[in-house]
């Protein structure tokens, strides 16, 4: 397999883009990434998207966005893995380039969520759960995560407020991030007083609904070097899965998909968690942030929240997470999120993250999760000196 | 890149499977294909599916089917390209194996269409069209194809009955195919009297709605030979795209995506249309069969129906098509169809097609189309002597 690098990134600010349909959101990110790379025409486009069929009555968004971005004719496919769709698009782009099927490809994630009413979006998001064993019984996605969080608090003796530093950190980072949805800090008091959505998950434990698109351009590393392009190496790309229904997990509070995916990534990159300088994790809910840290080997079982409580996850800590706001504060346009994570990690490793820069970052990891831990896609990126 | 072969196939009869939800349909095909190959555990599963979100309120079907098939943990992704989703799944499987990312993978296509009412399914299928320029105005998918057919008849002077031999051939082949939905012949009189759906498209110009799943196992050819497995080589795998909205095509009656995809495939396989022994084409409607033959170089522009009228497409003709019934008569569970095509071509090239055998077949081509020609995925398969 060939060594692969990211040579361009494009990011749409996450928000309520009433004036931009799916194809415009997606193609703007694609064209921004190509312009960043100085490439006119890629060989393929892989689009991560979860909800276009349910919310925009539009399938086949791979071909749609390729055409709208002026690339009619090229290979263009949509990949879906619930909220992990964006990471899956990067995975396909990596496969195509690493395997020698294409030289220059674009991975794009796009989601348009704000056109529907909240109840329509909540219902659509529930299709990330098991329709037969969970959705059919009226469980929303936040309710599923509330069950996990409640059990976690019971098993390990945490209070709700012990999760406060996850969103406080995320919002602090988002406050200085141009493409973040919520560019403001939140106080501990605000977290403590936040409205309940599904107890113990409050509004400030949860990522918001937003529109957005992000894209990265991938190419062989030697191609990038030959053409003098700014390159960030993709040291590892991996996917792990688990049961979709949470009742059927071997251990309810272990994200086995994330563990498998992280272990595969560490093995491929020949590194361990101790080598990772920052981690763009999947904080769809604060409980997911804690579980992801544990499954990826950064904390022992039941110890994830301590990394937040002790400041480890802050920009100046040992393992900064959500360095541009994460899902909580940059925003979580579900099928786009995984590409935002990889694009943001690329900015960090280019030392182009401005006020959000993690000093001296050399290795960054991203982890995009679909469903309540049903699938995890992990990437490890390295700064090319 | 590595030489890739298909080493196992699994086919569910297409029909109304009221008793089988999506995960069971899909995993049965996956397990049948693995059993056929003598493989217990693949490294990855790529699932082609279009409508699970809209019709079964279930996304993330890659992880879902992997788990249900007893492969929890492996890489599992869903790919979507409207009615071309199945072909796209085979394309991803090919990429993973050819590129050296995996050794043994499964590509599965699955669709569950009969649980919804006809109006719900018709609405869902319209999401293969352009939601803004077509769907929003009430154009159903059959109506779009009717516009194409009407214009085609006008341009080239055909009558509706000139398309009769496409479904007659398809049904003749399906009559002896165990997994076909409509295992019966139809007469020319039946075609002439068939009820209109969207003039000039009648019931017998149209593929039906059905449930189904198909799977193929892919591995490096040398792996297959080393393990003494029955292998059919994948000589080419390619994707081409076009605008989704038909008003925006450069030439309304040319399937540019199919032309690009076929030309890429011929170049990769170093063959031409004259070398192809049979063609599993995408006869969602008779007009699509005609356009596909033209775009793929088997007939000049405006001459596609002649191949049907003159018997060229019959089992004993120069270019048999739809050898097990095609979309029309084997059935068209949309996201599964592309994998059925590849599985059927594999059976032909194993000389295991029974009464449907194309004598002496050495090279087979499949072409799966998404939308009204928005995307085409072409594979060329070769018998390993």
């Amino acid at each position: 397999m060939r060594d692969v690098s990211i040579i361009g990134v494009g990011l749409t600010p996450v928000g309520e883009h009433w004036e931009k349909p799916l194809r415009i959101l997606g193609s703007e990110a694609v064209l921004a990434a190509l312009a960043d790379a100085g490439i006119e025409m890629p060989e393929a486009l892989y689009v991560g998207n979860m909800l276009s069929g349910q919310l925009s009555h539009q399938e086949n968004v791979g071909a749609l966005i390729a055409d709208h971005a002026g690339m009619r004719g090229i290979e263009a496919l949509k990949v879906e893995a619930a909220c992990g769709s964006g990471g899956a698009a990067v995975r396909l782009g990596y496969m195509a380039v690493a395997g020698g099927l294409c030289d220059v490809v674009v991975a794009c994630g796009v989601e348009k969520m704000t056109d529907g009413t909240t109840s329509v979006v909540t219902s659509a998001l529930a299709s990330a759960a098991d329709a037969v064993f969970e959705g059919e019984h009226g469980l929303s996605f936040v309710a599923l995560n509330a069950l996990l969080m409640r059990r976690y608090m019971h098993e390990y003796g945490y209070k709700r407020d012990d999760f406060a530093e996850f969103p406080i950190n995320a919002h602090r980072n988002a406050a200085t991030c141009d493409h973040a949805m919520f560019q403001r800090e939140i106080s501990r008091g605000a977290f403590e007083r936040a409205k309940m959505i599904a107890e113990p998950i409050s509004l400030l434990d949860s990522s918001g609904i937003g529109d957005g698109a992000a894209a990265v351009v991938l190419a062989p590393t030697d191609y990038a070097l030959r053409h003098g392009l700014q390159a960030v190496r993709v040291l590892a790309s991996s996917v792990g899965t688990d049961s979709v229904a949470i009742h059927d997990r071997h251990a309810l509070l272990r994200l086995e998909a994330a563990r498998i995916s992280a272990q595969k990534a560490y093995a491929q990159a020949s590194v361990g968690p101790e080598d990772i300088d920052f981690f763009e994790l999947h904080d769809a809910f604060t409980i997911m942030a804690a579980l992801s840290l544990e499954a990826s080997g950064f904390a022992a079982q039941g110890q994830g929240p301590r990394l937040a409580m002790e400041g480890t996850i802050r920009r100046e800590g040992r393992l900064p997470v959500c360095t541009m706001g994460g899902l909580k504060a940059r925003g979580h346009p579900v099928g786009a999120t995984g590409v935002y994570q990889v694009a943001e990690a690329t900015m960090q490793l280019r030392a182009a993250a401005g006020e959000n820069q993690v000093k001296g970052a050399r290795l960054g990891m991203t982890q995009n999760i679909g469903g309540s831990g049903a699938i995890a896609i992990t990437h490890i990126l390295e700064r090319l000196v």
Side-chain angles (χ1 to χ4, degrees), chain A:
Chain A
M1 293 199 306
R2 303 193 292 185
D3 200 88
V4 178
S5 282
I6 294 172
I7 59 170
V9 302
L11 290 159
T12 302
V14 181
E16 300 185 9
H17 291 289
W18 302 100
E19 76 293 3
K20 290 184 185 174
L22 199 66
R23 74 190 72 191
I24 294 184
L25 271 176
S27 57
E28 282 184 354
V30 167
L31 292 172
L34 286 168
D36 185 43
I39 298 281
E40 282 200 8
M41 184 64 74
E43 288 170 61
L45 171 68
Y46 303 105
V47 175
N49 170 273
M50 176 183 175
L51 296 171
S52 72
Q54 293 186 65
L55 296 183
S56 303
H57 207 246
Q58 181 70 69
E59 303 290 356
N60 217 356
V61 293
L64 186 81
I65 292 172
D67 182 31
H68 198 77
M71 302 160 194
R72 186 182 290 190
I74 67 165
E75 171 164 349
L77 300 171
K78 164 182 159 176
V79 61
E80 188 274 323
C83 315
S85 301
V90 178
R91 168 69 180 155
L92 293 198
Y94 175 84
M95 281 171 57
V97 176
L101 290 102
C102 299
D103 277 338
V104 179
V105 308
V106 180
C108 168
V110 59
E111 206 74 71
K112 180 76 182 150
M113 301 176 77
T114 61
D115 281 356
T117 61
T118 305
S119 67
V120 166
V121 175
T122 299
S123 168
L125 286 171
S127 64
D130 189 306
V132 174
F133 292 107
E134 296 174 333
E136 187 69 21
H137 304 285
L139 267 171
S140 71
F141 205 62
V142 58
L144 272 171
N145 281 273
L147 292 175
L148 291 175
M149 185 167 173
R150 184 180 289 276
R151 184 71 198 174
Y152 187 90
M153 288 163 61
H154 172 79
E155 287 281 344
Y156 300 112
Y158 287 103
K159 301 184 305 299
R160 197 183 79 77
D161 293 352
D162 294 333
F163 293 82
E165 292 298 327
F166 284 116
I168 289 171
N169 171 68
H171 276 268
R172 188 188 302 116
N173 291 338
T176 50
C177 172
D178 288 342
H179 63 269
M181 187 167 186
F182 302 114
Q183 297 181 21
R184 56 175 180 270
E185 301 198 24
I186 59 167
S187 67
R188 194 163 179 102
F191 180 84
E192 289 167 2
R193 292 186 303 273
K195 283 186 195 167
M196 275 298 148
I197 298 178
E199 211 180 337
I201 291 184
S202 76
L203 190 67
L204 292 181
D205 289 283
S206 314
S207 53
I209 288 168
D211 306 326
V216 295
V217 183
L218 299 111
T221 300
D222 60 6
Y223 173 101
L225 297 177
R226 207 164 56 239
H227 290 79
L229 301 170
Q230 192 174 22
V232 168
R233 285 177 74 199
V234 185
L235 280 192
S237 171
S238 69
V239 182
T241 55
D242 198 350
S243 73
V244 175
I246 64 171
H247 76 272
D248 206 27
R249 302 269 161 88
H250 294 311
L252 185 66
L253 299 176
R254 291 176 196 239
L255 294 184
E256 187 63 8
R259 189 192 65 76
I260 292 169
S261 173
Q263 290 303 320
K264 282 161 93 170
Y266 293 140
Q268 191 190 348
S270 300
V271 303
E274 65 283 3
D275 300 311
I276 302 296
D277 296 317
F278 65 95
F279 182 26
E280 297 301 337
L281 55 69
H282 192 93
D283 57 329
F285 302 99
T286 49
I287 181 65
M288 273 292 131
L291 296 179
S292 178
L293 285 167
E294 296 171 10
S296 303
F298 295 108
Q301 181 73 15
Q303 299 300 307
R306 305 228 166 266
L307 272 56
M309 296 157 80
E310 295 162 1
T312 309
I313 64 169
R314 296 176 61 147
R315 196 182 302 157
E316 62 282 9
R318 153 68 196 94
L319 185 76
V321 310
C322 304
T323 68
M324 301 199 184
L327 283 62
K328 174 66 198 81
R330 174 242 293 126
H332 181 29
V334 289
T337 289
V339 186
Y340 275 99
Q341 293 175 315
V342 171
E344 290 165 349
T346 302
M347 290 165 69
Q348 288 288 2
L349 296 168
R350 285 175 169 185
E355 289 188 61
N356 293 55
Q357 186 63 46
V358 175
K359 298 288 185 302
R362 194 185 65 84
L363 276 186
M365 184 157 118
T366 67
Q367 188 172 79
N368 190 200
I369 293 179
S372 310
I375 187 165
I377 302 100
T378 304
H379 287 92
I380 297 177
L381 307 184
E382 184 189 41
R383 186 180 67 203
L384 261 180
V385 188

